Amino acid sequence: MAPVRVLCVHGYRQNGASFREKTGALRKLLKNKVNFVYVDAPHLLVRGEGQESVERAGSGDRDARGWWFSDPRARTFNAQQQCEESAGLDESVAAVREAVRRDGPFDGVLGFSQGAALVAMLCALQESNAEPDFTFRFAILVAGFRSACTQHLSFYSTPLQMASMHVIGLADGVIPADMSQDLLPIFRDSHVLTHPGGHFVPAAAVHRQNYQNFLERFQVTEDANGMHNKHNK
């Protein structure tokens, strides 16, 4: 079995390198099963931006970045902030598109927090054929949520066929569990992993089977000629 290739989309005030570090336990848990590739958000945050944001996790990261701003004027983000228009999403979709062209193809995409919210939008763009470069077969959304921006409502108008795994922390004080559960009706084929912890990517031994049960549907085998054959169970 060849490893599944997954594009990883970090949270607000993180970056690809810091998210790689924060998912070290997950990489170890799924060693030889998954190849993780990390992408940076295009928007670099200056010190002081988003200090009041709901997305507090990772606020100490250097080279802190974000995928879009719920307050375009202040260039800040709050997952629970109602807004008419956001800023920065087009540039972020372009950044993911470039990562796919440069490092892809990918079997799936994994997002954390604001990155998970972005992943749901990427899935919608793929299924509407708006982004032909996106060929993800599954999505993993950790502490995901629906954007509260009116401008983004169209992303949730049609149920998605893509297989999804939703990882929800019951004690998450940044993205409460009910916000993550609001994403479930958007995906027809959803698998849910709940854990008792907070705002992080869970990767204890007890979670290994949950991840593997989901990922085995997308394992790649090699035939006698070394060619890859993808299987959906």
Side-chain angles (χ1 to χ4, degrees):
M1 289 284 188
V4 173
R5 302 193 75 241
V6 175
L7 182 65
C8 299
V9 183
H10 62 77
Y12 190 70
R13 298 196 67 80
Q14 296 180 345
N15 59 61
S18 68
F19 190 43
R20 185 180 190 280
E21 181 179 346
K22 295 175 192 297
T23 54
L26 182 67
R27 290 187 286 111
K28 183 176 180 180
L29 190 75
L30 299 175
K31 186 177 181 180
N32 301 323
K33 300 287 187 181
V34 181
N35 283 341
F36 295 99
V37 178
Y38 295 78
V39 60
D40 284 326
H43 305 293
L44 186 62
L45 309 180
V46 301
R47 183 174 292 277
E49 282 185 341
Q51 292 299 322
E52 76 289 354
S53 168
V54 169
E55 286 268 11
R56 294 183 295 276
S59 61
D61 290 351
R62 293 185 178 182
D63 191 30
R65 294 174 177 270
W67 297 103
W68 78 88
F69 303 106
S70 55
D71 187 333
R73 179 172 295 183
R75 287 181 63 83
T76 58
F77 174 77
N78 185 316
Q80 300 185 31
Q81 179 180 5
Q82 301 286 332
C83 62
E84 292 296 322
E85 295 185 352
S86 68
L89 183 63
D90 288 346
E91 294 87 344
S92 291
V93 173
V96 174
R97 185 189 310 126
E98 177 58 29
V100 169
R101 290 175 177 174
R102 181 183 65 244
D103 301 320
F106 295 99
D107 298 293
V109 57
L110 178 153
F112 173 68
S113 206
Q114 192 193 40
L118 176 65
V119 164
M121 299 180 194
L122 300 178
C123 294
L125 288 171
Q126 176 176 320
E127 294 203 7
S128 67
N129 297 314
E131 289 291 335
D133 290 299
F134 297 168
T135 57
F136 303 119
R137 300 163 64 214
F138 66 87
I140 301 175
L141 304 97
V142 183
F145 57 91
R146 296 193 195 199
S147 171
C149 182
T150 302
Q151 185 183 35
H152 300 158
L153 286 176
S154 61
F155 290 113
Y156 314 114
S157 60
T158 303
L160 304 177
Q161 305 300 318
M162 187 180 302
S164 62
M165 181 175 185
H166 303 257
V167 183
I168 302 172
L170 299 180
D172 195 330
V174 179
I175 303 298
D178 60 346
M179 289 182 64
S180 293
Q181 290 164 351
D182 282 345
L183 264 182
L184 296 179
I186 301 302
F187 292 85
R188 291 185 184 274
D189 182 8
S190 58
H191 174 87
V192 180
L193 166 60
T194 58
H195 64 96
H199 197 62
F200 58 85
V201 181
V206 68
H207 303 126
R208 180 185 288 110
Q209 198 60 51
N210 283 277
Y211 287 117
Q212 290 185 352
N213 287 346
F214 177 73
L215 291 169
E216 70 178 3
R217 301 163 56 187
F218 311 99
Q219 292 287 272
V220 180
T221 59
E222 291 186 351
D223 62 22
N225 297 316
M227 299 297 290
H228 287 183
N229 299 307
K230 295 181 178 180
H231 298 280
N232 274 330
K233 290 188 178 181

